[in-house]
Amino acid sequence: MITIIASIGFILAITSFIAGFRMIKKTGHVAEHRMHKINGYLTLICYILVALLSIISGTTFLFLMAWILGLVIHLIKLLLVKKGLAVRYGGYLGGMLLITWLTVIFTHLPK
Amino acid sequence: MKFQPYRVSFPLNPPPFLFLVAAVLLCLPLANTLLAASALASEISVSGVETSIQDVINTASPGDIIVVDDGKYDENLFITKEILLRSKNGSGATLLFPKDPKHPVISIMDASGVKVTGFTIKNSASSGVAVYRSRGVKIFDNRITGHVNGLFLDNTNESAIFENVTTENEKGVYLYFSNNNLIEKNKMDSNVNNGLLLHSSHKNIIKENTANSNYWNGITLSSSNDNVVEANESLRNTYAIVVSESTGNQIADNKTMRRLYRILPVILVYVSIMVYLIERRLFILFYDIKNKEHGKLQGLR
């Protein structure tokens, strides 16, 4: 269950990243703006779900800190977009989000 | 009146109760022997962690049953005689840790008929249970984790290893120059090296075990001949069943599957690109339709 949600989140994060990247480069269609936004919010929901499920099934202090750090990266990205700084810093944050999701996927592979 | 003397008659067929008496008399020596035997096989309890299990083993006679109470024991046990060592309430309640981690937690040496059951055996730099030059040993219903070898049989024959859980060791179960053993219904999962390794061990029966998610091989037969490997489950290992320099092994009805999960992220990246392309087309289509409708409405006005 947790792997499935993490996989969906990972897919949405990548699609959102590609759409966002094309928006910054101004090569994307106008419709991609909405797509980026929707996928971004869905990714955040997936992240919170995976984090909650993981914490409920047992976690350590370090893992809890890692989950909070991931959430902070998501929220900073959201804040930057709201402040209109996405073009300048969005790429870095997007990359960090992808790394966050890669970590989430690798730590939730079935044993 | 004619007096008739009382005559005792001996009938040809004796009454049934005579058979019963005779049977009881005949069985008396046998019963005596049985009673003597049961008196020899006494049950000794090890209660409280202050008591040393090894001291009890040292004083036990062959055939004795040693029952270990719940708790955590730090000992390296050494068994050289035929005893049954068991826990009182199963492996969940009785934990054995090594006093000296360089040596096996339980060593059985030059013995026959030893039985060990119902323990959780943890964390040594050697073996959880090591059996050397023995015969007819039974190791069952134990949980063995955190060792180099979970269960190690060296020059041990005609023994049975069943219903144990040997996880997170370097090797789950290791047979070295050991023949005619039964390895059945064990869980040899998530070990670093091999779930089950046979080296120069012949005519063993390995059936209905699981050897899943081991980092390297599920089951390995190395220089081992005429073994029967059937109805085992070996999933998500690097290699499921490896046979090397071995002949005459019967390998049948095993369930095997390679580990695919490690490439899941790569597959997901490809899926993401596909999803992106499809989603983009849908969004653009939806956007165009909406714009057209908006244009029509404006045209009507």
Side-chain angles (χ1 to χ4, degrees):
Chain A
M1 182 66 180
I2 202 163
T3 311
I4 293 166
I5 299 170
S7 301
I8 294 165
F10 185 66
I11 290 168
L12 289 169
I14 289 179
T15 51
S16 182
F17 179 78
I18 298 168
F21 192 73
R22 281 169 65 87
M23 270 168 57
I24 291 168
K25 293 281 175 190
K26 294 185 170 46
T27 49
H29 193 273
V30 187
E32 280 184 77
H33 174 75
R34 183 153 291 174
M35 187 177 140
H36 173 69
K37 198 174 174 181
I38 292 168
N39 284 349
Y41 279 116
L42 287 174
T43 307
L44 182 60
I45 290 165
C46 282
Y47 182 85
I48 292 165
L49 271 176
V50 173
L52 283 176
L53 285 171
S54 185
I55 290 163
I56 288 165
S57 64
T59 188
T60 59
F61 179 73
L62 271 176
F63 270 94
L64 191 68
M65 288 295 111
W67 282 118
I68 291 168
L69 179 69
L71 187 66
V72 167
I73 294 169
H74 276 83
L75 294 176
I76 290 172
K77 169 74 171 60
L78 202 64
L79 194 73
L80 280 176
V81 174
K82 296 277 180 200
K83 293 273 181 191
L85 296 166
V87 178
R88 198 166 180 183
Y89 301 110
Y92 299 114
L93 264 298
M96 281 171 77
L97 279 179
L98 274 190
I99 292 165
T100 307
W101 273 100
L102 267 172
T103 315
V104 170
I105 276 290
F106 272 109
T107 49
H108 289 90
L109 288 178
K111 293 280 187 295
Chain B
M1 191 176 166
K2 203 175 177 182
F3 176 73
Q4 286 203 341
Y6 181 73
R7 204 175 77 195
V8 179
S9 64
F10 292 95
L12 282 172
N13 295 323
F17 77 89
L18 273 179
F19 280 114
L20 190 68
V21 170
V24 168
L25 286 170
L26 281 169
C27 286
L28 271 175
L30 182 66
N32 196 30
T33 314
L34 284 172
L35 282 170
S38 69
L40 280 173
S42 57
E43 190 171 297
I44 310 163
S45 290
V46 181
S47 54
V49 288
E50 289 82 15
T51 319
S52 162
I53 303 170
Q54 186 62 54
D55 288 348
V56 176
I57 291 169
N58 293 343
T59 54
S61 304
D64 280 354
I65 300 164
I66 298 171
V67 183
V68 182
D69 215 346
D70 298 354
K72 177 179 169 285
Y73 299 83
D74 296 308
E75 288 192 59
N76 294 93
L77 303 177
F78 198 73
I79 303 169
T80 54
K81 54 191 147 191
E82 184 188 342
I83 54 164
L84 162 57
L85 181 68
R86 71 171 178 88
S87 67
K88 193 177 178 184
N89 293 314
S91 60
T94 316
L95 280 76
L96 293 180
F97 285 81
K99 193 173 182 181
D100 180 0
K102 288 177 191 164
H103 295 108
V105 183
I106 300 177
S107 301
I108 299 166
M109 195 173 278
D110 300 312
S112 66
V114 176
K115 298 179 187 79
V116 177
T117 181
F119 293 96
T120 295
I121 303 162
K122 281 189 165 183
N123 301 354
S124 80
S126 180
S127 302
V129 180
V131 188
Y132 305 99
R133 299 181 300 277
S134 298
R135 187 177 290 273
V137 173
K138 284 184 182 171
I139 314 285
F140 56 101
D141 197 19
N142 299 288
R143 299 180 70 86
I144 305 167
T145 61
H147 307 276
V148 174
N149 304 310
L151 260 159
F152 179 47
L153 269 63
D154 181 357
N155 281 286
T156 294
N157 305 320
E158 291 152 24
S159 296
I161 308 293
F162 55 97
E163 292 171 12
N164 298 287
V165 178
T166 58
T167 57
E168 292 164 24
N169 306 287
E170 265 190 46
K171 292 183 274 289
V173 177
Y174 182 19
L175 271 69
Y176 183 74
F177 286 94
S178 298
N179 309 321
N180 297 303
N181 298 294
L182 174 70
I183 314 291
E184 190 179 18
K185 291 180 182 167
N186 298 287
K187 282 184 189 292
M188 305 174 288
D189 305 335
S190 306
N191 294 289
V192 178
N193 198 322
N194 283 266
L196 170 66
L197 171 62
L198 271 72
H199 183 75
S200 301
S201 299
H202 315 299
K203 296 180 181 172
N204 298 289
I205 298 170
I206 299 146
K207 63 176 188 179
E208 294 174 35
N209 300 285
T210 66
N212 298 334
S213 304
N214 295 291
Y215 188 80
W216 205 235
N217 304 336
I219 298 169
T220 307
L221 307 179
S222 170
S223 306
S224 300
N225 309 326
D226 305 317
N227 297 288
V228 176
V229 183
E230 64 178 30
N232 299 288
E233 188 181 277
S234 187
L235 312 174
R236 301 187 299 278
N237 306 290
T238 304
Y239 299 103
I241 299 172
V242 176
V243 182
S244 161
E245 297 174 9
S246 307
T247 55
N249 294 297
Q250 291 176 41
I251 301 171
D253 301 327
N254 297 291
K255 199 189 283 181
T256 61
M257 193 181 81
R258 288 284 293 276
R259 187 195 296 126
L260 293 172
Y261 295 119
R262 299 228 165 167
I263 57 166
L264 180 70
V266 180
I267 294 168
L268 287 177
V269 169
Y270 280 100
V271 171
S272 303
I273 293 164
M274 296 299 291
V275 168
Y276 166 75
L277 292 171
I278 295 163
E279 201 181 356
R280 184 172 170 270
R281 278 197 173 270
L282 286 172
F283 266 81
I284 290 169
L285 192 72
F286 183 71
Y287 182 83
D288 287 348
I289 291 166
K290 206 175 168 187
N291 270 4
K292 271 179 191 171
E293 279 178 0
H294 188 68
K296 274 180 190 173
L297 281 171
Q298 280 195 334
L300 283 171
R301 281 173 194 162

